[in-house]
Amino acid sequence: MGLNLEILCSPNTEDIETWLKKHVNITKKKKILHIVPTLILYRRRLQFYKLTNPNEFYGFELKEVEQKLRHQYVGLYEMDQFLQELIIKSNLTVLSKRESSIIIERIVQKNSGTNNLAWKSSIQEITDCFLMLSQTGLNIQEIRNLDQTPSWQTICDLYETYLNELIKQNVLDFGQASIMLLQEHNFRDYEMLILDGAFLPILAKHHFLIDRFNTLNKPIICFLPVDLDVKDHPAFEAIKTTYQNYVTFSKWESVKSEKSKHNVVEKLSSSIFHSKIDEVDDPSVQIVRFTSSEEELDRIVEHAAQLIHHKRTTANKIAIVTPNPMELRPVVRELSEIYGLLVEAPERPLIQLPQGRAINNLFKIYIDDRLEAFNKVYIFDV
């Protein structure tokens, strides 16, 4: 059976929305699963569905639009949002990332070759690595064969012990549960899959989702932000190399409308990584270099706060684009509070609250790595 996937291309997000408006009828009983690669694009598409269906969402806040849209019409998600919801609705016993890291930390401490400060200080990175490996669907031997270096084999030894511990406790981690559900979920509520944007690289979770819809003989539409008329561009080459594994390049279709680039964002997007640069004639655009990421974020939030306090803009019209949004979000939230901005703060785990940090610090008095070296029962570090 061939792949039931169609690739449509345009560098303009408005063209994608025009196609959606023409072809997607949200009043159908069968829903569409609409997956986007970033939360910024997610919010844009959420606004799009709200504005194009005013009678359905009149007077609704965005959170209410999100809930009603997902429940009744279109399953709009960022990929990990969708996986999280699948897991929540399943009857699987799945560890949180924090619970996985605790198991990994114990494994590292019990291994004589890794029971040292260098490995212990890398627990977060090791946890990320293990969750990524578990989401590939590869078995331990296939993972070992990826690299024969001693350091990689040490990682594989730890990972194998981690997998055995999960089996012993009869639980799954987030990666294992994701792959299992993507392969087995019936998706009967959805009649079509839309992949809206360039997922680079295509990870196992994306591939399994595509493969599942194809196995169920449900159509798949993939929107790519490229201009088929401008092929001498590194970004175009990266997307082409990735996606032509699914659909032959000659079968890609353009949905681009003919329009000139007027604003600075459009000019920059067509010029980045390219020798042919469109002139940027907007004095409001600034390129600033900072000595540290802390200084950069502080300046960004401070400037945003000034704009908001002087009513020159509103918070929902400001976007901070970064390759690691999940890591920086708590920092931006804390800076926003310092500069007097109202922020929507999710409930924090105990370890991130003052009481939790206090308990953690008291606990560390008795488990600090320097206890053995100093021959002490406990140690204070001021």
Side-chain angles (χ1 to χ4, degrees), residues 1-5 193 207-220:
M1 180 175 63
L3 190 60
N4 191 19
L5 190 152
L193 170 64
H207 178 77
F208 281 122
L209 181 62
I210 292 171
D211 186 62
R212 184 58 176 159
F213 266 76
N214 189 60
T215 300
L216 296 171
N217 200 29
K218 295 175 183 280
I220 306 163

Tab-separated table of all heavy atoms in Angstrom, residues 1-5 193 207-220:
chain	number	residue	atom	x	y	z
A	1	MET	N	0.852	-1.200	0.000
A	1	MET	CA	0.000	0.000	0.000
A	1	MET	C	0.888	1.251	0.000
A	1	MET	O	1.814	1.368	0.811
A	1	MET	CB	-0.904	0.010	1.238
A	1	MET	CG	-1.825	1.213	1.309
A	1	MET	SD	-2.972	1.078	2.713
A	1	MET	CE	-1.852	1.091	4.106
A	2	GLY	N	0.651	2.171	-0.946
A	2	GLY	CA	1.424	3.399	-1.028
A	2	GLY	C	1.072	4.350	0.087
A	2	GLY	O	0.061	4.197	0.771
A	3	LEU	N	1.920	5.344	0.240
A	3	LEU	CA	1.709	6.323	1.300
A	3	LEU	C	0.645	7.321	0.881
A	3	LEU	O	0.762	7.973	-0.156
A	3	LEU	CB	3.029	7.049	1.600
A	3	LEU	CG	3.062	7.949	2.830
A	3	LEU	CD1	2.752	7.149	4.081
A	3	LEU	CD2	4.426	8.602	2.972
A	4	ASN	N	-0.394	7.435	1.692
A	4	ASN	CA	-1.526	8.311	1.385
A	4	ASN	C	-1.255	9.715	1.915
A	4	ASN	O	-1.966	10.228	2.774
A	4	ASN	CB	-2.798	7.724	2.014
A	4	ASN	CG	-4.053	8.420	1.525
A	4	ASN	OD1	-4.043	9.087	0.493
A	4	ASN	ND2	-5.129	8.267	2.281
A	5	LEU	N	-0.182	10.349	1.406
A	5	LEU	CA	0.270	11.640	1.915
A	5	LEU	C	0.438	12.626	0.774
A	5	LEU	O	1.007	12.300	-0.274
A	5	LEU	CB	1.595	11.468	2.671
A	5	LEU	CG	2.120	12.652	3.480
A	5	LEU	CD1	2.972	12.146	4.657
A	5	LEU	CD2	2.963	13.610	2.640
A	193	LEU	N	-5.266	13.577	8.910
A	193	LEU	CA	-4.137	14.125	9.651
A	193	LEU	C	-3.547	15.289	8.876
A	193	LEU	O	-3.261	15.162	7.681
A	193	LEU	CB	-3.065	13.048	9.874
A	193	LEU	CG	-1.716	13.531	10.429
A	193	LEU	CD1	-1.874	14.112	11.829
A	193	LEU	CD2	-0.694	12.387	10.420
A	207	HIS	N	7.064	9.956	12.643
A	207	HIS	CA	6.978	8.860	11.664
A	207	HIS	C	5.901	7.852	12.051
A	207	HIS	O	5.128	7.402	11.206
A	207	HIS	CB	8.336	8.169	11.547
A	207	HIS	CG	8.329	7.006	10.611
A	207	HIS	ND1	8.348	7.158	9.228
A	207	HIS	CD2	8.277	5.663	10.841
A	207	HIS	CE1	8.306	5.969	8.651
A	207	HIS	NE2	8.269	5.046	9.611
A	208	PHE	N	5.838	7.503	13.328
A	208	PHE	CA	4.831	6.540	13.776
A	208	PHE	C	3.421	7.086	13.595
A	208	PHE	O	2.486	6.336	13.289
A	208	PHE	CB	5.071	6.157	15.230
A	208	PHE	CG	6.179	5.148	15.413
A	208	PHE	CD1	7.271	5.446	16.207
A	208	PHE	CD2	6.127	3.915	14.791
A	208	PHE	CE1	8.294	4.522	16.377
A	208	PHE	CE2	7.146	2.989	14.955
A	208	PHE	CZ	8.237	3.294	15.753
A	209	LEU	N	3.245	8.396	13.806
A	209	LEU	CA	1.925	8.999	13.603
A	209	LEU	C	1.530	8.937	12.136
A	209	LEU	O	0.391	8.569	11.788
A	209	LEU	CB	1.933	10.445	14.095
A	209	LEU	CG	0.618	11.212	13.966
A	209	LEU	CD1	-0.488	10.550	14.792
A	209	LEU	CD2	0.795	12.668	14.408
A	210	ILE	N	2.464	9.286	11.249
A	210	ILE	CA	2.202	9.202	9.802
A	210	ILE	C	1.882	7.761	9.407
A	210	ILE	O	0.915	7.488	8.682
A	210	ILE	CB	3.420	9.720	9.010
A	210	ILE	CG1	3.589	11.234	9.217
A	210	ILE	CG2	3.281	9.406	7.518
A	210	ILE	CD1	4.882	11.791	8.654
A	211	ASP	N	2.699	6.834	9.895
A	211	ASP	CA	2.528	5.429	9.532
A	211	ASP	C	1.185	4.878	10.024
A	211	ASP	O	0.533	4.087	9.329
A	211	ASP	CB	3.685	4.616	10.122
A	211	ASP	CG	3.665	3.167	9.661
A	211	ASP	OD1	3.796	2.942	8.447
A	211	ASP	OD2	3.514	2.268	10.514
A	212	ARG	N	0.760	5.320	11.222
A	212	ARG	CA	-0.504	4.828	11.771
A	212	ARG	C	-1.685	5.295	10.933
A	212	ARG	O	-2.587	4.503	10.619
A	212	ARG	CB	-0.658	5.300	13.218
A	212	ARG	CG	-1.899	4.765	13.932
A	212	ARG	CD	-1.922	3.262	13.960
A	212	ARG	NE	-3.053	2.735	14.721
A	212	ARG	CZ	-3.524	1.508	14.577
A	212	ARG	NH1	-2.973	0.666	13.705
A	212	ARG	NH2	-4.553	1.094	15.300
A	213	PHE	N	-1.699	6.572	10.566
A	213	PHE	CA	-2.795	7.091	9.734
A	213	PHE	C	-2.785	6.423	8.367
A	213	PHE	O	-3.845	6.148	7.790
A	213	PHE	CB	-2.695	8.610	9.609
A	213	PHE	CG	-3.509	9.353	10.625
A	213	PHE	CD1	-3.076	9.454	11.932
A	213	PHE	CD2	-4.729	9.926	10.288
A	213	PHE	CE1	-3.828	10.116	12.885
A	213	PHE	CE2	-5.491	10.599	11.232
A	213	PHE	CZ	-5.041	10.689	12.539
A	214	ASN	N	-1.584	6.170	7.843
A	214	ASN	CA	-1.502	5.505	6.548
A	214	ASN	C	-2.025	4.075	6.632
A	214	ASN	O	-2.750	3.608	5.750
A	214	ASN	CB	-0.054	5.514	6.064
A	214	ASN	CG	0.082	5.040	4.624
A	214	ASN	OD1	-0.489	5.629	3.712
A	214	ASN	ND2	0.817	3.967	4.420
A	215	THR	N	-1.691	3.367	7.710
A	215	THR	CA	-2.174	2.001	7.917
A	215	THR	C	-3.700	1.968	8.011
A	215	THR	O	-4.348	1.039	7.518
A	215	THR	CB	-1.560	1.411	9.200
A	215	THR	OG1	-0.141	1.401	9.087
A	215	THR	CG2	-2.064	-0.003	9.439
A	216	LEU	N	-4.272	3.008	8.635
A	216	LEU	CA	-5.726	3.098	8.775
A	216	LEU	C	-6.394	3.650	7.507
A	216	LEU	O	-7.609	3.865	7.487
A	216	LEU	CB	-6.080	3.982	9.970
A	216	LEU	CG	-5.625	3.448	11.339
A	216	LEU	CD1	-5.842	4.510	12.425
A	216	LEU	CD2	-6.373	2.166	11.689
A	217	ASN	N	-5.573	3.903	6.475
A	217	ASN	CA	-6.066	4.408	5.187
A	217	ASN	C	-6.784	5.751	5.331
A	217	ASN	O	-7.813	6.000	4.697
A	217	ASN	CB	-6.993	3.372	4.523
A	217	ASN	CG	-7.137	3.606	3.028
A	217	ASN	OD1	-6.229	4.128	2.386
A	217	ASN	ND2	-8.281	3.246	2.479
A	218	LYS	N	-6.225	6.598	6.168
A	218	LYS	CA	-6.765	7.951	6.336
A	218	LYS	C	-5.835	8.944	5.649
A	218	LYS	O	-4.609	8.796	5.718
A	218	LYS	CB	-6.875	8.294	7.836
A	218	LYS	CG	-7.880	7.430	8.598
A	218	LYS	CD	-7.856	7.737	10.085
A	218	LYS	CE	-8.808	6.817	10.859
A	218	LYS	NZ	-10.202	7.265	10.764
A	219	PRO	N	-6.376	9.939	4.958
A	219	PRO	CA	-5.536	10.889	4.221
A	219	PRO	C	-4.658	11.739	5.138
A	219	PRO	O	-5.035	12.047	6.271
A	219	PRO	CB	-6.548	11.755	3.469
A	219	PRO	CG	-7.816	11.631	4.246
A	219	PRO	CD	-7.815	10.248	4.828
A	220	ILE	N	-3.491	12.104	4.625
A	220	ILE	CA	-2.525	12.919	5.364
A	220	ILE	C	-2.134	14.103	4.483
A	220	ILE	O	-1.722	13.914	3.326
A	220	ILE	CB	-1.262	12.112	5.723
A	220	ILE	CG1	-1.644	10.824	6.459
A	220	ILE	CG2	-0.304	12.948	6.555
A	220	ILE	CD1	-0.529	9.795	6.487
